[in-house]
Amino acid sequence: MIDRLRIVFMGTAEIAAPVLQALSSESDFCVSLVISQPDRPKGRKLKLHPTPVKEAANELALAVEQPERCRDESFLDRLDSLNPDLIVVMAYGQILPKRLLSIPRLGCINLHTSILPKYRGAAPIQWAIYDGEENTGITFMLMDEGMDTGPILRIVETPIASDDNARTIHDRLSEIGARELPDTIRKLAARELRPKAQDHDAATHARKITKKDGRLDWSRSAEALDCQIRAFTPWPGSYTDWIQGEERHRLKFWKADLADAPAVPHGQVVRADREGMVVKCGEGALRILEVQKEGGRRIPARDFLAGSELQAGARFE
């Protein structure tokens, strides 16, 4: 049995909250401090909202600090004074400086939501689905000064099913991280894990997603567009424009499956009935199952078609 480890947790996003909860429930760990990004304004009234990790820390009665910059000397002095054995980082949102990385005797562990060295960066879950990967996972790594470039301690993989989207994978990886982290820490402290350097030549970058990434290009294959729709659910969503005479109507598509279609121009609706709408793609076709028009809510495609003028022969761009 190892001595009770003093741990500092750094995280901001929703995916990291269950990991913090798992750490705090272990009797041989002491979470002495939680560090999260500052509260940010949200909503129409721009009211300040706490981060999901801060909310979780408050529920667990853990101390929280929210420095604007984690490289400020006053903050680093404060962190150094805690003398942590380990710092655990997940979805924090800032690059950690060298001095911070050198504070804990066991180093800093990062939980990254991809199979490194692929998909380093801000949006690994979405781009793995977008690219049609068969698997993803959580990489437990020791941090260095680069972005997701440190040596790997272990990787826990999970398949990406045909009905998975960014939300389901997000939740599954959060669960995996929470379940596997305590044992990973114990093995690290017992020197049972041997860090392995990444193959930097095999690295790929998962850049930050923008709303523009959601636009559907109907010249792509049905398989590729299905991956795109699943990758960008729930945010930013995948969208197209329905051309109706001189008017354009923006539609978001939230769920689809593969279908067959005759040889017509891509972007043309070849079927619109109770089973959904079938749209020709560059290769194959998509059957759209869930639709959202501007200002509306997500509804089954059959319900949308029942109250719409959209029919077979309509064109999407």
Side-chain angles (χ1 to χ4, degrees):
M1 188 72 173
I2 62 175
D3 294 334
R4 199 162 189 242
L5 290 175
R6 298 182 303 277
I7 297 175
V8 169
F9 185 83
M10 301 182 72
T12 298
E14 176 189 359
I15 195 170
V19 178
L20 172 60
Q21 292 164 348
L23 277 181
S24 68
S25 70
E26 299 293 328
S27 61
D28 51 341
F29 300 157
C30 173
V31 181
S32 54
L33 181 64
V34 175
I35 301 165
S36 195
Q37 296 272 31
D39 298 348
R40 304 296 187 194
K42 290 184 179 179
R44 294 181 180 179
K45 296 183 179 180
L46 296 179
K47 183 180 179 181
L48 287 177
H49 283 259
T51 72
V53 165
K54 180 182 179 180
E55 289 183 325
N58 288 339
E59 291 174 1
L60 296 165
L62 296 173
V64 182
E65 293 189 14
Q66 297 173 276
E68 192 69 42
R69 296 172 69 252
C70 68
R71 59 183 61 247
D72 288 345
E73 289 300 317
S74 59
F75 167 72
L76 293 173
D77 290 342
R78 158 75 173 140
L79 191 59
D80 205 0
S81 71
L82 296 176
N83 194 29
D85 295 303
L86 180 71
I87 293 177
V88 175
V89 183
M90 187 176 193
Y92 175 59
Q94 293 185 31
I95 298 293
L96 306 190
K98 183 177 181 179
R99 182 185 166 193
L100 191 154
L101 296 173
S102 67
I103 288 174
R105 67 177 182 86
L106 294 174
C108 298
I109 288 184
N110 182 43
L111 284 72
H112 184 73
T113 52
S114 81
I115 301 173
L116 289 173
K118 296 186 73 174
Y119 301 105
R120 295 173 176 172
I125 293 173
Q126 291 87 341
W127 291 117
I129 299 172
Y130 184 95
D131 289 343
E133 297 284 359
E134 294 182 356
N135 296 284
T136 186
I138 288 279
T139 297
F140 298 87
M141 54 173 285
L142 288 176
M143 299 181 70
D144 59 18
E145 292 181 83
M147 178 179 287
D148 307 321
T149 56
I152 294 170
L153 295 171
R154 64 186 293 229
I155 296 173
V156 181
E157 296 190 19
T158 186
I160 300 176
S162 60
D163 59 348
D164 272 322
N165 58 37
R167 167 52 67 178
T168 63
I169 293 295
H170 169 284
D171 293 349
R172 192 181 311 150
L173 293 181
S174 182
E175 292 171 3
I176 290 172
R179 184 182 71 235
E180 300 293 336
L181 178 61
D183 190 50
T184 301
I185 291 174
R186 293 185 185 102
K187 288 181 177 178
L188 175 67
R191 303 188 184 279
E192 296 174 7
L193 293 177
R194 184 167 298 177
K196 180 180 178 181
Q198 294 189 41
D199 179 0
H200 300 300
D201 292 337
T204 62
H205 181 62
R207 65 170 175 81
K208 187 176 180 179
I209 292 167
T210 70
K211 289 184 178 180
K212 292 181 180 180
D213 290 316
R215 178 173 285 281
L216 294 164
D217 176 358
W218 296 101
S219 68
R220 301 176 72 220
S221 71
E223 289 87 350
L225 293 180
D226 177 57
C227 287
Q228 178 178 343
I229 291 170
R230 294 186 295 112
F232 298 153
T233 297
W235 194 90
S238 297
Y239 62 90
T240 191
D241 288 335
W242 167 27
I243 310 303
Q244 189 180 27
E246 297 297 321
E247 296 182 351
R248 285 177 175 262
H249 306 276
R250 179 66 50 89
L251 300 177
K252 278 190 175 181
F253 296 151
W254 294 103
K255 189 175 182 180
D257 61 19
L258 304 181
D260 296 320
V264 298
H266 59 257
Q268 182 173 323
V269 177
V270 298
R271 183 173 175 179
D273 55 29
R274 288 187 58 80
E275 295 184 9
M277 68 177 81
V278 175
V279 188
K280 183 69 173 68
C281 306
E283 294 180 17
L286 277 184
R287 177 180 290 105
I288 306 301
L289 301 175
E290 287 188 12
V291 184
Q292 181 180 8
K293 62 182 180 180
E294 283 187 298
R297 57 186 178 85
R298 289 172 60 168
I299 58 175
R302 63 176 178 273
D303 294 346
F304 168 78
L305 292 169
S308 169
E309 297 178 1
L310 194 150
Q311 299 176 351
R315 181 166 57 92
F316 292 151
E317 285 185 357

